[in-house]
């Protein structure tokens, strides 16, 4: 029997011990009317060989050319050692480290992870992960509402240049708690939010301001001015950042005079494969003073009964398994293995390596932009600096162009016009070229885009 | 063991992993740029490999240890499932890749939606929640959306049994509800009289798991459903215990309106030291419009996404993309491997193992929480007697088990049973392994009587002795600082 | 520096300790004239990302359709757990277990391997591996020459139905030791050797007789009669067998009245991927009385100073590192990791599973044969039973047909005519269908072969 | 720990791994069929995973331990190399696949032939030998073929230094030669006078490694080459120590005619608990016709195989296909990763580490075998003094090191140095690791003086204590028997 080790003899002995005549009898407390005899709608089982073949056939349907899509998930080089070590049975098949003495491996690793994230963002403390970037922001918003004692409005301002899926996720998750999300429009010219726009809220009770950096269009927000505004108005600042960009961009802990209060984001760029959107991991960090409002697991360094250093889950009183309905969050299972991989990734790449990754992403996307905007009718949608993603305006509808690029084995970015009323007429294409792209890739993309536009326009 | 930071050397690095330096200079305004370096480790590739390999050796895991951890379903998750889910093409697929180049993945997701719906007896499934707790959130949010959609605004309460997992009340609160705790009857079933007294026009719904976290099947379930439904509330099923009844009984048939599943318990995703998991939600017909997006559908052109355009009443999006897609793949592969019959057997053998262990432990002198009842896939023993007479509590037993190479059962949960161990052997463990566990438990009982200090000071043979949790919480040290 | 951990500071400190001013000085004992300053002919180093891309491009060139080639290497299902566990750092990066106390993992595994192989072949003892099947046979021949005290001729008879590459390898390896290899022709009708043919050698001093089972054409030799003849003439019997076939075919230990004396072969079918021909592993087993003539490493079970069971390399006095020029073989590094995988494979598949594999191979090849011989002009080359490989006669030259099949993504077997003078005119095709082939694969092959013949003839 | 056979249960199995039963019955004559079942384990997949995972934990390995094992070059072999060599398409390529569908693999093999030839200063390379020893066999067989081809039949002897690795004489004998042992001079160089006395018309060749297994570079090498060549013999280079001189000096330039390389030492294949390896052979122009087949060549149509048709004088085939192709791939990938400069640095840092360790150990009071000489990538200390004065020998030091988590250096080899440890740190270990080793060695010296029993009874902390090798050889137990 697949994965069940019982021999006939085992079964008989066990049934005798229990004192029943058959396995069915073990279910005799379930009302008869409810019991089913077999599962409908499930095909017959297959051997591992047949399933392997099936899955390779399916995988072959997903074969793809060069990917220039970013928009929240980024193709980066992942050193082979990362998943080789993370996939060791001792990491992969361990449970949540509630039994600290039997989980020092995972616990120490998570403590190292917390340290790396806190240092990367210049924040005081990090938790041990949330689900993903968008849901991490939702948790950050809930956390800000709990943490900001000066504000009673539960009003959150969000820059309109935030990833639209993040905004939707935040809305789905905080909706029921009477939290109001106000979206600040971005400048149609710059694709970023002009801090002056915030003047409209000068007189209001604002709980927090959410600042993405870089924003959805790859553009760079005026983080210092925005943070200053928030702090001047007793609002907390929530930073949503790309961790790779942190190698070159000012980190949240340095924003404004006193730094962002909470910084979160998507951990995927740190060694996690694209894999259709997950499992990734959300990270969240904050100032020390807010640590008791932090959601999710936190590892602390302590000592054992011999005074030897060890690690264990701490501040558990924040969590659902202790605090139940009064917990800071309902999160329980998080993204442990992804964080394991990310920790190994960060150790391997080092900050120096991360900086080279960031610089190559920057260089490739800028080179791509310059190649593409040499094509007549193609131009930048916004002005201003950007990191590794750029929004372009095409001379015709985006979808048919993308279809043509597909035929040339290019996933040429995404059509972002549908996301914004203000971009509906704009034929807006968002492209990204990470360090994984060669110059030949960029040139090929430009050639094919030219050709596609030629036949479409 | 040293921290990775403590073996770091300035200017060391794993050189082949970084791309070449670029010659382009960054045209980014100075005030937007980073000026300091974080204290990251600077280490060689061998140092990284050795450090994290060594760390891994300081863990218990299914691959190395028996893990009778109640409520967590720590069973063997086939290596084949993992390997196939890690197929290059699947790993490389961008979440926003065009559907034309995604039919392989989409077909798996679609088929899994169908299979899970039929396993649970539900009308439809959304795979997007990223763990059980997010599934709970989605489920309760749908209950809320349903009532609101009907203009039924007075329902402000969710009922949870006192034995419920902590995520249940926490999720209900995130959805804006007040939680009322429902006491359990002495037989482990829902106390129907109390239930009747508690439901009313304020009741939005009830969150249950059946078999419950007490390790017994609530025989009154149909009656519970009738009472709650008649009061206008809906029934939420916490699918964390689905392993117990896979192919035996379907939550939909019991009268539940909405369910979440823990793919990382029942459907072949290893726990990864804390995650990731996946918590798909299934619903009956009336809740279908509210399912979280995206989902996958199929039409003449093939498989495609369902988004808010297709589902105007959806509770919305819960993650940037579609949740933990890789875990979804694993569940699909697992279902195809086991098939109809294999899945059916899971519940049977999980239950057989639990009942065998329960009877043997009782014979060995342990006190069962519900000696009159069958075990489901798990059961509870209480060490209240030992705690009182010998001063050796459930935690001491748990820690001492570690010395014998067995992971401790779940301790002190559910909260209503004093000094309890919640024991779940799962279907993938052999009789010999169970017998070995029984022998160890007998040895522990003996130690408790004769050398109680051995238990109280346990563990003795692990990388660290018992840890000082109080110090950890009092003198918070959450981030290593240079020079520490 | 790639994989070198030294910082500038480390280097300076170390040089000072040594008392030199630069690394170059450490090479000062090498005559100046011999030193080179740099390596010519090697390209610049690449990062792991660039090399990954390069290798995936190369891999894409090797993409292939369905493989019906056997001829000594067989495509079988390999459970995922096999290489997952075998690739654990503790197995993969361990050295040869000379330090027994620090190598009990590998040593116990090898002892289990030896046991499984000995039991599979019904032989007394197995070593811990040789390089591959062909070289294992060469070692078996050398071993037989040492072991057979009754024979002084160093004359070895080999059935002509042996894999031609095995024959060539044996010849290359034993050539210098005055060993004479005599090839017994196979019957043109049966494709096996008629035991009566051996009568010609009745009066001669023969050291050993080499019997392949199944033979190169998949055919089954009369192993009992052949073994009896050898033993009657004081020759040793060397069996060369396919381990998967052993699930259904009589195992060497049961051949004739007293069994083969040495049994060897290719271990690849036991969980080792095709991977262009290696690393595979050769296995060799023998009767207890010949164990001191065995080449290669052997693990023995013993006790430690506390009387506890343990394992260590034994009979090392046979080996080159002790016995040097008088060793039973020069072999040192063997195929340890492949054997690690094979041991896990055998444990997972079990004998019952192995039998099902063998039966499916048999069934698929027989079904394929019946489909192909329904095509006009295609017929079996030989009569008689066969296992999972069969030789066919085509109505035209084989090569062009194979080329056409390639275009339909079928690797349709190999052209064996060039290997034998007697088959030069025969258009002989050797095909194999293991358990990995579905019925649809077989039907597709038949269709395409028909089509190819149609357009070629 | 139990053997896998001891956890077996009749009729248990890992069911998903076997194909379905067939309905075809085997049409094989009864006398050709198997009638009995072997005693194989019958176990579940979880049992297999757990058993072999647990076994793996009873090994030292590079990933977990420092391994200063002389002559073996136990360095870090990049994970990236392994992963890329394990690419699905490479694993699935049948060795007899048509060249049209093999250009990827063939191009790697071809380029590696070229790169290795240029690294060694040789005219051509064949990749087919499956380990160092088979490379030696191939090399000596080529020397033999060369002499025979010239009708020079009187050459019956091969010279090997007394410090030579055991495979050298064993390989020469397999090629039909008599081996003469050449003594080493007191300075570690070849004794030129003795050499002159030993060469003659009977000399087929000499097998050397330089730097030698004594850890020193033979400064007389050009002179040795002249003497042997003048006597009509050829020079064989045992490339096991190539790591020492990679990019610093080329065997071809020293005057060698033929060389084998150990890809599993210098070129990134981990040792796998004993193998596999790969032992390509390189030759100067005059030996080129004799290279073992198959090799890869390139013409207008692309890459293709060279076989006996192309190479009529070849010594022939040494394996069923082309040797350990997967190891060849690894070496190719490693060369591309390190490139010109990276390979050049290997020898430099291997040498730096060895010399540092040598000086520090000498300062700590250990006796060097060649205190006057530079270390190459390895060096020898002799514990003869300790053995004599304290009764603690090299083996005791070796076993005691294991307790400290360090693999023992090579012991009692080369044979001519009494109570020796041959120490090779490799270039991938950090200074901290070397310093830690030095501290441990100092501690051992202290133990040897003060508590010699600690060493003599070592190891103390491993899964087993010192094993009884005599019993193992006397009461041979090589195969587990049921009921044991
Ligand atoms: C009974 C029960 N409900 C809910 C959950 C929450 O699931 P998750 O951890 O996936 O969020 C768990 C898991 O720990 C559980 O055991
Ligand atoms: C100096 C020397 N020569 C030859 C060999 C033999 O190489 P292999 O083990 O690959 O056959 C070795 C390896 O152990 C060696 O160290």
């Amino acid at each position: 029997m697949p994965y069940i080790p019982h021999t006939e003899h085992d079964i008989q002995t066990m049934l005798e011990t229990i004192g029943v005549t058959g396995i069915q009898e073990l279910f005799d407390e379930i009302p008869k009317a409810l019991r089913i005899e077999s599962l409908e709608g499930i095909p017959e089982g297959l051997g591992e060989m047949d399933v392997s073949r099936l899955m390779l056939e399916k995988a072959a349907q997903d074969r793809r050319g060069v990917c220039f899509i970013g928009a929240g998930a980024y193709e980066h080089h992942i050193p082979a050692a990362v998943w080789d070590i993370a996939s060791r049975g001792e990491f992969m098949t361990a449970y949540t480290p509630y039994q600290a003495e039997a989980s020092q491996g995972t616990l120490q690793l998570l403590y190292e992870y917390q340290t790396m994230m806190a240092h990367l963002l210049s924040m005081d403390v990090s938790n041990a992960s949330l689900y993903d970037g968008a849901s991490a922001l939702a948790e950050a918003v809930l956390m800000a509402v709990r943490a900001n004692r000066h504000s009673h409005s539960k009003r959150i301002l969000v820059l309109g240049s935030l990833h639209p899926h993040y905004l939707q996720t935040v809305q789905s998750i905080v909706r029921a708690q009477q939290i109001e999300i106000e979206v600040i429009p971005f400048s149609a010219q710059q694709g970023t939010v002009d801090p002056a726009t915030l003047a409209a809220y000068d007189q209001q009770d604002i709980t927090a301001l959410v600042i993405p950096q870089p924003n959805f269009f790859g553009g760079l927000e005026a983080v210092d001015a925005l943070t200053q505004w928030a702090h001047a108005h007793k609002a907390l600042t929530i930073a949503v950042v790309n961790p790779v960009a942190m190698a070159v961009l000012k980190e949240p802990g340095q924003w404004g005079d006193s730094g962002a209060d909470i910084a979160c984001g998507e951990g995927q760029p740190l060694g996690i494969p694209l894999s259709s959107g997950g499992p990734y991991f959300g990270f969240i960090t904050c100032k020390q003073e807010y640590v008791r409002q932090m959601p999710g697991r936190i590892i602390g360094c302590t000592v054992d009964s011999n005074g030897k250093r060890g690690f264990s889950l701490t501040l558990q009183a924040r969590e659902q398994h202790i605090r139940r309905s009064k917990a800071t969050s309902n999160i329980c299972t998080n993204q442990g293995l992804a964080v394991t991989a990310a920790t190994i990734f960060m150790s391997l790449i080092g900050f120096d390596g991360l900086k080279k990754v960031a610089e190559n992403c920057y260089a490739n996307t800028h080179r791509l932009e310059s190649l593409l905007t040499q094509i007549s009718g193609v131009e930048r949608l916004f002005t201003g600096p950007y990191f590794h993603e750029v929004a372009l305006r095409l001379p015709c509808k985006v979808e048919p162009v993308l279809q043509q690029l597909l035929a040339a084995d290019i996933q040429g970015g995404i059509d972002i016009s549908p996301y914004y009323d203000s971009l509906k007429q704009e034929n807006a294409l968002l492209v990204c070229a990470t360090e994984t792209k060669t110059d030949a890739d960029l040139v090929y993309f430009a050639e094919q885009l030219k050709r596609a536009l030629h036949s479409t326009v | 063991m040293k921290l990775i930071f403590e073996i770091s050397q300035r200017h060391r690095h794993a050189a082949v992993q970084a791309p070449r330096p670029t010659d382009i200079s960054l045209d980014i305004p100075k005030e937007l740029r980073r000026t300091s370096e974080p204290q990251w480790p600077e280490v060689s590739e061998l140092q990284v490999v050795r450090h994290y390999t060594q760390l891994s050796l300081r863990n218990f895991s299914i691959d190395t240890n028996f893990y009778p951890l109640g409520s967590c379903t720590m069973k063997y998750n086939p290596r084949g499932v993992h390997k196939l889910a890690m197929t290059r093409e699947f790993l490389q697929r961008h979440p926003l890749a065009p559907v034309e180049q995604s039919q392989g993945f989409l077909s798996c997701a679609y088929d899994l939606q169908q299979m899970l719906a039929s396993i649970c007896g539900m009308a439809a499934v959304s795979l997007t929640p990223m763990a059980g707790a997010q599934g709970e959130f989605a489920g309760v949010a749908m209950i809320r959306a349903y009532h609101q959609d009907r203009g039924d605004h007075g329902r402000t309460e969710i009922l949870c049994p006192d034995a419920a997992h902590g995520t249940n009340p926490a999720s209900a609160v995130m959805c804006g509800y007040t939680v009322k705790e429902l006491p359990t009857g002495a037989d482990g079933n829902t106390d129907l009289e109390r239930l009747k007294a508690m439901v009313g026009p304020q009741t939005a719904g009830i969150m249950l798991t059946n078999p419950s976290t007490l390790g017994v099947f609530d025989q009154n379930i149909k009656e519970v459903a009738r009472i709650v439904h008649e009061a206008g509330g809906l029934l939420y099923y916490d699918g964390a215990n689905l392993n117990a009844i896979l192919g035996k009984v379907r939550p939909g048939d019991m009268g539940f309106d909405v369910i979440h599943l823990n793919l990382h318990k029942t459907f072949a995703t290893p726990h990864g030291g804390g995650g990731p998991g996946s918590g798909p939600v299934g619903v009956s017909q009336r809740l279908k419009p509210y399912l979280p997006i995206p989902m996958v559908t199929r039409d003449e052109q093939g498989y495609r996404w369902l988004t808010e355009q297709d589902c105007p009443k959806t509770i919305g999006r819960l993650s940037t993309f579609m949740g933990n897609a890789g875990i979804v793949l694993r569940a699909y592969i697992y279902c195809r491997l086991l098939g109809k019959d294999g899945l059916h057997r899971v519940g049977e053998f999980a239950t057989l193992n639990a009942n065998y262990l329960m009877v043997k432990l009782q014979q060995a002198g342990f006190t069962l929480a519900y000696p009159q009842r069958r075990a489901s896939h798990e059961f509870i023993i209480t060490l209240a007697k030992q705690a009182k007479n010998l001063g050796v509590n459930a935690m001491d037993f748990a820690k001492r088990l570690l010395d014998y190479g067995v992971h401790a059962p779940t301790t002190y949960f559910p909260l209503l049973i004093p000094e309890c161990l919640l024991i779940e052997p799962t279907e993938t463990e052999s009789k010999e392994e169970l017998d070995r566990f029984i022998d160890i438990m007998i040895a522990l009982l003996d130690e408790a009587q004769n050398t109680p200090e051995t238990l109280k000071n346990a563990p003795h043979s692990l990388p660290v002795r018992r840890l000082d949790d109080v110090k950890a919480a009092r003198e918070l040290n959450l981030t290593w600082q240079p020079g520490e």
Side-chain angles (χ1 to χ4, degrees), chain A, chain B:
Chain A
M1 293 176 293
Y3 310 117
I4 293 176
H6 300 64
T7 65
E8 253 328 302
H9 180 256
D10 290 339
I11 298 172
Q12 285 319 318
T13 317
M14 293 170 82
L15 289 173
E16 274 163 35
T17 303
I18 300 170
V20 292
T21 56
I23 292 182
Q24 297 320 316
E25 229 176 301
L26 299 175
F27 294 91
D28 56 8
E29 293 187 1
I30 301 181
K32 262 232 170 59
L34 289 179
R35 276 184 259 165
I36 54 170
E37 289 318 312
S38 97
L39 278 168
E40 299 311 317
I42 313 288
E44 292 296 326
L46 295 172
E48 190 181 293
M49 175 177 81
D50 293 328
V51 172
S52 300
R53 190 158 163 159
L54 175 74
M55 293 314 292
L56 288 179
E57 279 163 18
K58 289 192 184 283
Q61 296 178 37
D62 292 1
R63 210 167 38 217
R64 31 133 263 161
V66 202
C67 175
F68 291 95
I69 311 175
Y74 302 93
E75 188 173 30
H76 290 293
H77 167 63
I78 303 174
V82 169
W83 284 94
D84 236 36
I85 306 295
S87 298
R88 282 175 61 84
E90 293 92 332
F91 283 132
M92 193 166 71
T93 73
Y95 194 67
T96 304
Y98 289 126
Q99 289 294 343
E101 298 84 357
S103 315
Q104 286 298 299
T106 288
L107 286 165
Q108 181 174 331
L109 182 144
L110 290 173
Y111 179 82
E112 293 179 0
Y113 161 81
Q114 290 175 180
T115 300
M116 292 182 207
M117 290 312 294
H119 288 179
L120 179 65
L121 304 176
S122 287
M123 301 292 288
D124 297 326
V125 292
S126 163
N127 85 349
S129 82
L130 294 169
Y131 300 133
D132 80 337
S135 58
L137 177 57
E139 290 280 10
V141 165
L142 294 173
M143 179 177 166
V145 169
R146 290 190 299 272
N148 191 341
R149 308 257 162 113
H150 302 287
S151 163
H152 304 285
S153 67
K154 294 190 177 186
R155 283 195 84 195
I156 311 287
L157 298 185
V158 173
L159 301 203
S161 55
L162 177 72
H163 194 305
H165 289 178
Y166 279 49
L167 182 60
Q168 290 171 21
T169 302
V170 170
Q171 280 164 332
S172 314
I173 293 178
V174 309
R175 181 178 296 134
Q177 298 190 49
Q178 278 84 46
I179 294 168
E180 212 181 313
I181 306 287
E182 181 99 20
V183 178
I184 323 270
F186 55 84
S187 137
Q189 206 221 322
Q190 303 264 333
T192 51
V193 171
D194 181 347
T197 326
L198 290 172
Y201 303 92
D202 273 353
Q203 305 312 323
Q204 306 188 7
D205 174 357
I206 301 296
T207 306
L209 171 66
V210 174
I211 309 171
Q213 183 77 327
N215 69 23
F216 182 56
F217 312 113
L220 304 184
E221 300 289 349
V223 292
D224 288 333
L226 293 166
T227 302
Q228 287 302 88
W229 182 90
H231 287 166
H233 295 81
K234 302 207 160 139
L236 297 188
T237 303
I238 300 175
V240 192
V241 296
N242 176 324
V244 168
M246 290 302 100
V248 293
L249 299 185
K250 185 183 279 184
E251 68 278 23
Q254 299 296 326
W255 292 4
D257 290 343
S258 57
D261 301 286
I262 302 172
C264 63
E266 175 57 64
Q268 178 272 331
L270 298 172
I272 315 300
L274 289 172
S275 51
S276 290
Y280 297 169
F281 69 94
F283 59 84
I284 189 164
T285 59
C286 68
K287 290 184 178 161
Q288 186 75 38
E289 56 190 299
Y290 303 122
V291 65
R292 287 189 159 72
Q293 298 306 333
M294 186 82 107
R297 299 188 188 118
I298 299 176
I299 282 72
C301 179
T302 182
V303 295
D304 73 2
S305 54
N306 287 342
K308 187 172 157 193
R309 178 168 70 185
F311 303 88
S312 68
L313 290 167
T314 194
L315 297 181
Q316 295 192 61
R318 296 166 302 109
E319 291 190 74
Q320 45 73 29
H321 63 283
I322 305 290
R323 198 58 144 273
R324 303 175 72 81
S325 63
K326 297 194 183 53
T328 54
S329 165
N330 68 339
I331 193 167
C332 173
T333 293
N334 60 18
Q335 307 288 111
L337 195 67
V339 162
T340 305
T343 307
I344 301 171
F345 174 86
M346 291 188 276
S347 301
L348 268 178
I349 200 88
F351 184 69
D352 190 60
L354 195 73
K355 215 156 106 188
K356 290 205 185 95
V357 171
E359 285 164 356
N360 274 271
C361 289
Y362 178 93
N364 274 345
T365 303
H366 283 73
R367 165 112 167 102
L368 179 65
E369 183 254 314
S370 92
L371 286 170
L372 299 187
T373 53
Q374 279 163 37
I375 302 169
S376 98
V378 179
E379 51 188 23
R380 276 193 67 188
L381 189 59
F382 303 118
T383 58
Y386 59 91
F387 175 55
H388 73 350
E389 220 151 0
V390 65
L392 301 174
R393 184 184 289 117
L394 298 191
C396 58
K397 288 250 155 288
V398 173
E399 262 315 311
V401 175
L402 289 178
Q403 287 291 332
Q404 288 213 44
L405 288 172
L406 264 194
D409 268 338
I410 292 172
Q411 295 183 351
I414 61 164
D415 180 3
I416 54 169
S417 301
Y419 285 115
Y420 300 93
D421 286 337
S422 62
L423 299 181
K424 279 264 149 44
Q425 309 306 325
E426 286 283 20
N427 305 324
L429 173 71
L430 185 67
V431 295
C432 169
T434 64
E435 87 285 7
T436 58
K437 302 299 169 288
T438 64
D439 203 59
D441 294 334
L442 307 180
V443 170
Y444 179 67
F445 185 9
E447 279 166 17
Q448 294 300 320
L449 179 62
K450 196 167 174 179
R451 183 184 224 145
L453 289 175
H454 199 75
S455 65
T456 314
V457 188
Chain B
M1 217 184 121
K2 284 189 175 165
L3 290 163
I4 188 90
F5 309 101
E6 292 163 347
I7 59 173
S8 169
Q9 276 292 343
R10 192 81 187 113
H11 299 309
R12 183 175 288 162
H13 43 229
V16 292
Q17 299 305 347
R20 289 166 196 282
T22 52
D23 39 18
I24 296 194
S25 69
L26 268 60
D27 186 19
I28 293 176
K30 202 159 160 283
E31 70 275 14
L32 296 178
R33 294 173 69 167
R34 181 175 196 123
T35 53
S36 71
E37 271 199 32
Q39 291 286 338
W40 271 21
E42 299 179 86
V43 282
S44 75
E45 187 162 322
L46 171 56
Q47 288 182 308
V48 172
V49 167
R50 216 175 255 166
H51 179 75
Y52 290 105
T53 299
Q54 290 282 14
L55 272 189
S56 78
L57 301 178
R58 297 161 82 87
N59 268 1
F60 275 34
S61 67
I62 280 292
D63 280 11
T64 47
N65 305 82
F66 177 44
Y67 242 93
L69 192 66
S71 204
C72 300
T73 311
M74 291 297 284
K75 60 185 186 178
Y76 174 66
N77 298 127
R79 272 305 209 288
V81 172
H82 174 66
K83 185 183 167 202
L84 291 170
M86 296 290 271
T87 299
R88 192 168 71 225
E89 288 82 355
F90 291 135
L91 293 185
Q92 289 180 347
R93 190 186 161 271
H94 192 285
L96 301 176
V99 293
E100 292 81 355
Q101 294 191 351
S102 309
Q103 292 293 302
F105 170 73
L106 289 175
S107 71
C108 296
Y110 179 81
D111 285 355
L112 185 65
Q113 288 173 186
Q114 306 297 330
M115 289 194 284
L116 294 183
S118 95
I119 286 170
C120 301
M122 292 288 168
V125 161
S126 166
L127 302 169
T128 180
M130 291 179 286
Q134 208 185 37
E136 293 170 19
F137 173 84
V140 179
M142 286 189 277
I143 291 176
R144 185 184 180 84
Y146 168 82
H147 292 309
Q148 292 199 331
D149 205 19
R150 291 164 30 113
D152 191 351
H153 297 294
R155 300 189 177 273
T156 56
E157 285 181 13
I158 289 276
L159 301 178
C160 288
D162 47 6
H165 192 263
T167 49
N168 291 187
S171 298
V173 165
M174 275 183 84
C175 287
Y177 285 112
T178 307
V179 174
K180 291 271 136 116
E181 213 169 77
L182 180 70
T184 304
D187 56 359
N189 291 337
T190 301
D191 184 334
L192 292 180
E193 293 316 310
R194 296 294 297 268
L195 176 64
K196 278 184 205 149
M198 287 174 79
V199 295
Q202 78 289 3
T203 305
I206 183 169
M207 299 181 81
L208 289 173
T209 169
N210 195 16
S212 72
T213 54
L214 299 167
V216 298
F217 190 90
D218 190 336
Q219 294 156 307
N220 298 331
I221 187 64
K222 279 303 255 185
E223 197 51 21
V224 170
R226 199 187 49 73
I227 294 166
V228 174
H229 278 152
E230 276 178 5
L234 298 185
L235 280 89
Y236 182 94
Y237 185 91
D238 175 344
N241 289 349
L242 196 75
N243 215 55
I245 55 163
L246 212 54
K248 285 286 144 190
V249 46
R250 310 191 310 165
D253 299 340
M254 297 185 212
F256 285 92
D257 301 284
V258 49
I259 174 176
H260 88 260
L261 300 173
N262 292 55
L263 297 187
H264 46 303
K265 295 178 195 267
T266 315
F267 292 94
T269 290
H271 279 71
S278 175
V281 278
V283 291
S284 60
Q285 205 61 42
R286 56 178 157 178
L287 289 181
K288 207 170 151 186
Y290 311 104
L291 279 167
I293 52 126
M295 290 177 284
V296 181
T297 190
R298 176 189 195 165
D299 58 25
E300 313 79 59
Q301 277 108 61
Y303 300 92
R304 67 172 179 85
W305 295 105
L306 286 173
T307 65
E308 59 276 31
Q309 269 84 48
D310 310 278
C311 315
K313 292 189 172 178
T314 174
I315 58 159
R317 184 178 278 283
L318 300 174
S319 58
T320 316
F321 301 108
M322 70 141 298
N324 285 335
I327 312 302
V328 162
L329 265 180
R330 282 170 172 79
Y332 172 76
I333 298 165
Y334 182 69
C335 287
R336 296 305 306 264
L337 275 170
L338 265 65
K340 200 186 174 95
D341 294 343
L343 289 174
H344 186 80
R345 268 190 301 259
V346 165
E348 296 193 340
F349 284 86
T351 303
L352 177 64
N353 274 1
N355 278 281
Y356 174 73
L357 211 50
M358 180 172 80
V359 167
K360 292 286 266 188
L361 287 179
Q362 187 177 32
Q363 288 169 2
F366 286 93
T367 309
L368 302 181
Y370 296 98
Q372 259 58 272
R373 303 291 309 264
R374 293 260 185 251
S376 62
H377 63 312
E378 61 191 4
F379 62 95
I380 299 178
I381 63 175
T382 165
L383 298 162
K385 209 172 60 192
Q386 286 80 5
K388 189 154 162 264
N389 300 342
L390 310 169
V392 173
N393 63 19
M395 187 57 78
D396 299 327
F397 268 82
K399 296 297 181 196
R400 182 65 180 145
L401 270 173
L402 304 179
D403 280 329
Y404 285 88
V406 172
H407 195 279
T410 301
T411 49
Y412 300 102
F413 174 79
L415 307 173
L416 62 157
I417 313 284
E419 296 297 338
C420 70
L421 296 181
L422 177 59
I423 301 174
E424 178 184 8
T426 85
E427 74 279 9
T428 59
E429 295 292 343
S430 65
K431 176 171 174 297
E432 297 98 300
E433 198 63 44
L434 305 185
D435 288 339
R436 197 173 70 89
F437 175 67
I438 294 157
D439 290 344
I440 295 170
M441 287 295 280
I442 292 171
L444 259 54
L445 215 44
D446 193 70
E447 290 181 357
Q449 254 132 18
N450 300 315
T451 53
E453 292 307 312
T454 321
L455 274 80
K456 285 190 238 177
N457 296 324
H460 302 270
S461 62
L462 272 75
V464 290
R465 302 294 298 276
R466 215 176 285 195
L467 289 164
D468 187 342
D469 285 334
V470 175
K471 180 183 160 82
R474 256 205 221 126
E475 305 165 24
L476 279 187
N477 173 347
L478 313 179
T479 313
W480 176 85
Q481 295 302 338
E484 218 170 74

